[in-house]
Amino acid sequence: MPSYDFVVGEKYTRADVYRICEVPLEKQKGEWLTGYRVYEGRYFIFCTVGGAGRTGDDHGNHFIDEDLLWHGKSKSHVGQKSIINLLATSSEVFVFYRSHDREPFTFAGLGTPKIIKETQPVEVLWSFSNVQVPASLPEEVSEPEKFIEGSVKTIMVNAYERDPKARQKCIDHYGYTCVVCGFEFEKVYGALGKSFIHVHHLKPLGEIGKAYEVDPMEDLRPVCPNCHAMLHRREPALSIEELKTHLKNQ
């Protein structure tokens, strides 16, 4: 089978997907517009998160941390052949999402079913090996060599490109413990919390305004979501040491 060159976090229209997958004109549209489609042995999911899709129905799709809670078509269930094949361990599932109807989709990555509920419609929690999902904090990077970050690209608003390798380099160096309060998710939540942490940019990308070379050890720090939010309670953001001192004084 051919290899499809989709980039996690990048935006694609269905026309882009047709072009990249070399879908003949006579095989376009149709089932491609229904939410999920199998093509050349691979599965493609197109969904709306946080609102209604093109049919006007809100299925409740949303991200839980880096996983996507997704619902199938209204009458879908785990006994359907199409759902059985979609959820098979051998299936390659390309997952695309968007927040509003008619806007391009963002490629979430190759999905692996993490939790499957026997509901109607079927409910699946998808996890992704290389995920880049919407972040509530602008400098939370998704996941020396040189890492280039900060190149402005226009979507609906200006956003700043992030190199997912920079996140992992930071974590490889500092670990999954919050550098402010010392919280470690795996110690508290067990397997559920394994490998979970936010990564904080010491200098927000929005203040830089142009591409620059990121040093994952110098420019990034792992922090828990609570401390990450507290760092941004002030503008400009508090420093790591300032928040540590504030926490100690409490």
mmCIF file of all heavy atoms in Angstrom, residues 170 174 179 198-202 215-223 240:
data_model
loop_
_atom_site.group_PDB
_atom_site.id
_atom_site.type_symbol
_atom_site.label_atom_id
_atom_site.label_comp_id
_atom_site.label_asym_id
_atom_site.label_seq_id
_atom_site.Cartn_x
_atom_site.Cartn_y
_atom_site.Cartn_z
ATOM 1 N N CYS A 170 13.085 17.948 26.172
ATOM 2 C CA CYS A 170 12.943 18.567 27.489
ATOM 3 C C CYS A 170 12.603 17.511 28.537
ATOM 4 O O CYS A 170 13.220 17.455 29.607
ATOM 5 C CB CYS A 170 11.870 19.649 27.446
ATOM 6 S SG CYS A 170 11.351 20.263 29.068
ATOM 7 N N TYR A 174 14.572 16.458 31.957
ATOM 8 C CA TYR A 174 14.043 16.812 33.284
ATOM 9 C C TYR A 174 13.106 15.766 33.876
ATOM 10 O O TYR A 174 12.848 15.790 35.089
ATOM 11 C CB TYR A 174 13.300 18.154 33.203
ATOM 12 C CG TYR A 174 14.192 19.328 32.930
ATOM 13 C CD1 TYR A 174 14.238 19.915 31.664
ATOM 14 C CD2 TYR A 174 14.998 19.881 33.925
ATOM 15 C CE1 TYR A 174 15.055 20.998 31.403
ATOM 16 C CE2 TYR A 174 15.821 20.968 33.682
ATOM 17 C CZ TYR A 174 15.837 21.525 32.415
ATOM 18 O OH TYR A 174 16.653 22.607 32.160
ATOM 19 N N VAL A 179 8.614 20.903 37.864
ATOM 20 C CA VAL A 179 9.783 21.567 38.438
ATOM 21 C C VAL A 179 9.408 22.622 39.474
ATOM 22 O O VAL A 179 10.265 23.121 40.190
ATOM 23 C CB VAL A 179 10.662 22.223 37.340
ATOM 24 C CG1 VAL A 179 11.201 21.174 36.382
ATOM 25 C CG2 VAL A 179 9.889 23.304 36.591
ATOM 26 N N HIS A 198 2.747 18.824 31.340
ATOM 27 C CA HIS A 198 2.801 19.960 30.425
ATOM 28 C C HIS A 198 4.255 20.400 30.279
ATOM 29 O O HIS A 198 5.099 20.089 31.120
ATOM 30 C CB HIS A 198 1.991 21.138 30.985
ATOM 31 C CG HIS A 198 0.531 21.036 30.718
ATOM 32 N ND1 HIS A 198 -0.319 22.114 30.825
ATOM 33 C CD2 HIS A 198 -0.247 19.990 30.340
ATOM 34 C CE1 HIS A 198 -1.555 21.742 30.538
ATOM 35 N NE2 HIS A 198 -1.535 20.453 30.239
ATOM 36 N N VAL A 199 4.535 21.116 29.214
ATOM 37 C CA VAL A 199 5.868 21.695 29.020
ATOM 38 C C VAL A 199 5.711 23.207 28.863
ATOM 39 O O VAL A 199 4.938 23.667 28.026
ATOM 40 C CB VAL A 199 6.582 21.076 27.799
ATOM 41 C CG1 VAL A 199 7.876 21.831 27.505
ATOM 42 C CG2 VAL A 199 6.887 19.605 28.060
ATOM 43 N N HIS A 200 6.418 23.941 29.685
ATOM 44 C CA HIS A 200 6.303 25.404 29.745
ATOM 45 C C HIS A 200 7.460 26.064 29.017
ATOM 46 O O HIS A 200 8.620 25.673 29.175
ATOM 47 C CB HIS A 200 6.291 25.841 31.212
ATOM 48 C CG HIS A 200 6.342 27.326 31.409
ATOM 49 N ND1 HIS A 200 5.340 28.167 30.967
ATOM 50 C CD2 HIS A 200 7.275 28.125 32.009
ATOM 51 C CE1 HIS A 200 5.645 29.416 31.290
ATOM 52 N NE2 HIS A 200 6.812 29.412 31.916
ATOM 53 N N HIS A 201 7.129 27.054 28.202
ATOM 54 C CA HIS A 201 8.120 27.848 27.491
ATOM 55 C C HIS A 201 8.535 29.012 28.394
ATOM 56 O O HIS A 201 7.693 29.815 28.779
ATOM 57 C CB HIS A 201 7.500 28.396 26.200
ATOM 58 C CG HIS A 201 8.387 28.253 25.007
ATOM 59 N ND1 HIS A 201 9.563 28.927 24.890
ATOM 60 C CD2 HIS A 201 8.254 27.500 23.885
ATOM 61 C CE1 HIS A 201 10.131 28.617 23.722
ATOM 62 N NE2 HIS A 201 9.360 27.747 23.102
ATOM 63 N N LEU A 202 9.795 29.089 28.762
ATOM 64 C CA LEU A 202 10.244 30.158 29.661
ATOM 65 C C LEU A 202 10.048 31.531 29.037
ATOM 66 O O LEU A 202 9.774 32.508 29.725
ATOM 67 C CB LEU A 202 11.709 29.950 30.043
ATOM 68 C CG LEU A 202 12.007 28.664 30.825
ATOM 69 C CD1 LEU A 202 13.486 28.600 31.190
ATOM 70 C CD2 LEU A 202 11.147 28.556 32.076
ATOM 71 N N ASP A 215 16.424 25.698 22.534
ATOM 72 C CA ASP A 215 17.236 24.734 23.269
ATOM 73 C C ASP A 215 16.299 24.085 24.285
ATOM 74 O O ASP A 215 15.894 24.742 25.252
ATOM 75 C CB ASP A 215 18.396 25.443 23.972
ATOM 76 C CG ASP A 215 19.323 24.453 24.677
ATOM 77 O OD1 ASP A 215 18.809 23.428 25.191
ATOM 78 O OD2 ASP A 215 20.534 24.711 24.734
ATOM 79 N N PRO A 216 15.918 22.817 24.087
ATOM 80 C CA PRO A 216 14.928 22.188 24.969
ATOM 81 C C PRO A 216 15.309 22.205 26.445
ATOM 82 O O PRO A 216 14.440 22.268 27.309
ATOM 83 C CB PRO A 216 14.854 20.753 24.447
ATOM 84 C CG PRO A 216 15.273 20.859 23.017
ATOM 85 C CD PRO A 216 16.330 21.925 22.999
ATOM 86 N N MET A 217 16.599 22.164 26.759
ATOM 87 C CA MET A 217 17.031 22.164 28.154
ATOM 88 C C MET A 217 17.064 23.564 28.746
ATOM 89 O O MET A 217 16.821 23.759 29.928
ATOM 90 C CB MET A 217 18.412 21.510 28.295
ATOM 91 C CG MET A 217 18.359 19.997 28.339
ATOM 92 S SD MET A 217 17.831 19.233 26.780
ATOM 93 C CE MET A 217 19.400 19.193 25.896
ATOM 94 N N GLU A 218 17.339 24.560 27.937
ATOM 95 C CA GLU A 218 17.440 25.933 28.423
ATOM 96 C C GLU A 218 16.104 26.666 28.369
ATOM 97 O O GLU A 218 15.801 27.476 29.256
ATOM 98 C CB GLU A 218 18.478 26.711 27.594
ATOM 99 C CG GLU A 218 19.909 26.254 27.783
ATOM 100 C CD GLU A 218 20.423 26.535 29.182
ATOM 101 O OE1 GLU A 218 20.018 27.558 29.781
ATOM 102 O OE2 GLU A 218 21.221 25.717 29.690
ATOM 103 N N ASP A 219 15.303 26.397 27.353
ATOM 104 C CA ASP A 219 14.103 27.197 27.104
ATOM 105 C C ASP A 219 12.811 26.572 27.607
ATOM 106 O O ASP A 219 11.784 27.249 27.693
ATOM 107 C CB ASP A 219 13.952 27.452 25.594
ATOM 108 C CG ASP A 219 15.115 28.249 25.026
ATOM 109 O OD1 ASP A 219 15.756 28.972 25.789
ATOM 110 O OD2 ASP A 219 15.369 28.120 23.818
ATOM 111 N N LEU A 220 12.799 25.278 27.908
ATOM 112 C CA LEU A 220 11.582 24.564 28.275
ATOM 113 C C LEU A 220 11.701 23.917 29.648
ATOM 114 O O LEU A 220 12.800 23.549 30.069
ATOM 115 C CB LEU A 220 11.259 23.483 27.240
ATOM 116 C CG LEU A 220 11.207 23.895 25.768
ATOM 117 C CD1 LEU A 220 10.980 22.679 24.885
ATOM 118 C CD2 LEU A 220 10.141 24.939 25.528
ATOM 119 N N ARG A 221 10.554 23.783 30.337
ATOM 120 C CA ARG A 221 10.524 23.102 31.632
ATOM 121 C C ARG A 221 9.227 22.300 31.760
ATOM 122 O O ARG A 221 8.159 22.783 31.379
ATOM 123 C CB ARG A 221 10.595 24.105 32.791
ATOM 124 C CG ARG A 221 11.898 24.875 32.909
ATOM 125 C CD ARG A 221 13.065 23.986 33.332
ATOM 126 N NE ARG A 221 14.245 24.801 33.600
ATOM 127 C CZ ARG A 221 15.080 25.258 32.665
ATOM 128 N NH1 ARG A 221 14.835 24.979 31.391
ATOM 129 N NH2 ARG A 221 16.128 25.982 32.998
ATOM 130 N N PRO A 222 9.285 21.093 32.350
ATOM 131 C CA PRO A 222 8.060 20.335 32.600
ATOM 132 C C PRO A 222 7.337 20.879 33.832
ATOM 133 O O PRO A 222 7.953 21.089 34.888
ATOM 134 C CB PRO A 222 8.576 18.916 32.846
ATOM 135 C CG PRO A 222 9.958 19.097 33.382
ATOM 136 C CD PRO A 222 10.498 20.332 32.711
ATOM 137 N N VAL A 223 6.045 21.125 33.711
ATOM 138 C CA VAL A 223 5.249 21.623 34.840
ATOM 139 C C VAL A 223 3.884 20.937 34.823
ATOM 140 O O VAL A 223 3.389 20.556 33.766
ATOM 141 C CB VAL A 223 5.048 23.158 34.791
ATOM 142 C CG1 VAL A 223 6.356 23.892 34.978
ATOM 143 C CG2 VAL A 223 4.386 23.576 33.488
ATOM 144 N N ILE A 240 9.695 30.611 36.994
ATOM 145 C CA ILE A 240 9.637 29.378 37.777
ATOM 146 C C ILE A 240 9.985 29.671 39.238
ATOM 147 O O ILE A 240 9.304 29.229 40.168
ATOM 148 C CB ILE A 240 10.591 28.315 37.205
ATOM 149 C CG1 ILE A 240 10.194 27.916 35.775
ATOM 150 C CG2 ILE A 240 10.651 27.102 38.126
ATOM 151 C CD1 ILE A 240 8.927 27.124 35.659
#
